Amino acid sequence: MPLVTLLAHTPDPEKTVASAAKLCYSSSGIATLQEGLTPEKTASFVEMLAEIGHESPIEHTSFTFGIEGVSRALLAQITRHRIASYSVKSQRYVREGSFEFVTPPEIADIPEALALYEETMAADQKAYDRLTDLLKEKHRAAFLAEGKDEKTANRLAEKKAIEDARFVLPNACETKMVVTMNARSLLNFFRHRCCNRAQWEIRDVANQMLALVSAVAPDLFKKAGPSCLCGACPEGKMSCGKAAEMRKFYEEMKKNG
């Protein structure tokens, strides 16, 4: 199952946001920008930004997460959030020996489905290993013919082999990544991915991320979460119809840290 860690963030994130907001609305110079920004005043600036929809100052603070135990299927979804930075374990440079994989809960609940799923993962591993061996031998011979020494030929051949062998690996294959987003991008991410209609894996990741940043910057993320927390559900006929439950869930999450 997914595990999210908050690796780093802008020091004093809410004060940084309040400083940027203060510059927009006062004649303060840079040298005196943070004077008088008590915790109460900082919270007031952050709340004002949320009320008037002025989100650009929020971009001045960012958060970096370590995410592991997730599938390549999740990777395809999370990278659609383009105002972010991603570093991901490479299947081109890292051989997947006995690869870990993510099992959807719905499959795990049915013994017959789980057995079939695990058989498929084993078959994928076998195919990957066999393809790697076949390709490696071909490339090794070619590198030796070019005059490369044995050690170099083996190293280069393996790298080239796994570039193509990875094509048989499933979306279930486990991966890990480091992700950095500014707070404005995070608010957008939470609106989409904390929604009940989001896919279960990325919703789990989003909820863990929200809990972590709420503990660090509670005023900044006070209203963060799915769209229904602060207004009508935008999903129309596809709405889960559980807005009240969602509001209670996120209220408890942020209260309990």
Side-chain angles (χ1 to χ4, degrees):
M1 291 294 101
L3 175 63
V4 182
T5 305
L6 182 60
L7 298 177
H9 58 80
T10 303
D12 209 343
E14 294 182 330
K15 194 170 185 178
T16 299
V17 170
S19 298
K22 183 178 178 182
L23 184 66
C24 295
Y25 299 105
S26 75
S27 58
S28 298
I30 297 298
T32 60
L33 197 56
Q34 294 192 340
E35 290 182 2
L37 278 181
T38 62
E40 295 74 21
K41 193 67 174 178
T42 294
S44 176
F45 266 112
V46 171
E47 184 176 351
M48 177 196 71
L49 293 174
E51 288 178 353
I52 66 177
H54 186 188
E55 295 186 332
S56 61
I58 299 172
E59 296 176 15
H60 292 291
T61 186
S62 63
F63 299 80
T64 299
F65 306 89
I67 302 174
E68 56 191 319
V70 293
S71 69
R72 302 289 292 196
L74 177 134
L75 176 62
Q77 296 182 78
I78 198 169
T79 50
R80 291 174 187 162
H81 295 270
R82 295 184 295 276
I83 305 178
S85 299
Y86 301 94
S87 296
V88 183
K89 185 181 81 171
S90 173
Q91 290 182 334
R92 183 183 181 195
Y93 295 103
V94 180
R95 181 165 179 167
E96 294 285 6
S98 299
F99 68 81
E100 299 291 333
F101 55 86
V102 175
T103 302
E106 295 292 340
I107 291 177
D109 281 347
I110 305 172
E112 185 179 358
L114 179 60
L116 176 59
Y117 188 79
E118 291 177 342
E119 288 171 13
T120 303
M121 295 301 107
D124 284 343
Q125 181 72 68
K126 185 176 180 180
Y128 174 80
D129 290 340
R130 182 59 178 149
L131 281 170
T132 298
D133 291 341
L134 290 170
L135 291 165
K136 182 177 178 180
E137 186 54 38
K138 173 189 174 183
H139 298 317
R140 176 179 171 278
F143 285 127
L144 288 172
E146 292 175 4
K148 299 286 193 301
D149 62 79
E150 188 81 22
K151 182 178 180 180
T152 301
N154 277 327
R155 176 174 56 80
L156 294 175
E158 167 128 339
K159 176 184 175 299
K160 194 166 184 180
I162 64 175
E163 284 186 6
D164 292 331
R166 62 180 168 153
F167 275 67
V168 299
L169 292 171
N171 269 339
C173 193
E174 185 269 346
T175 192
K176 47 184 68 73
M177 66 192 78
V178 172
V179 179
T180 299
M181 293 188 189
N182 69 50
R184 187 179 190 181
S185 291
L186 276 172
L187 290 174
N188 175 266
F189 177 77
F190 295 143
R191 279 193 290 270
H192 288 87
R193 303 303 185 173
C194 290
C195 175
N196 252 348
R197 295 196 64 246
Q199 185 259 355
W200 65 269
E201 188 179 23
I202 200 167
R203 187 171 68 246
D204 187 346
V205 167
N207 282 336
Q208 290 188 52
M209 291 167 67
L210 177 53
L212 289 167
V213 298
S214 294
V216 172
D219 291 313
L220 189 55
F221 294 101
K222 185 177 182 180
K223 297 182 179 180
S227 298
C228 63
L229 258 60
C230 300
C233 173
E235 298 294 328
K237 293 181 179 179
M238 293 185 177
S239 172
C240 72
K242 299 178 179 179
E245 293 176 37
M246 296 292 280
R247 289 167 188 154
K248 183 177 180 180
F249 173 82
Y250 286 98
E251 181 182 352
E252 289 297 317
M253 172 200 284
K254 294 170 187 179
K255 182 189 300 181
N256 297 328

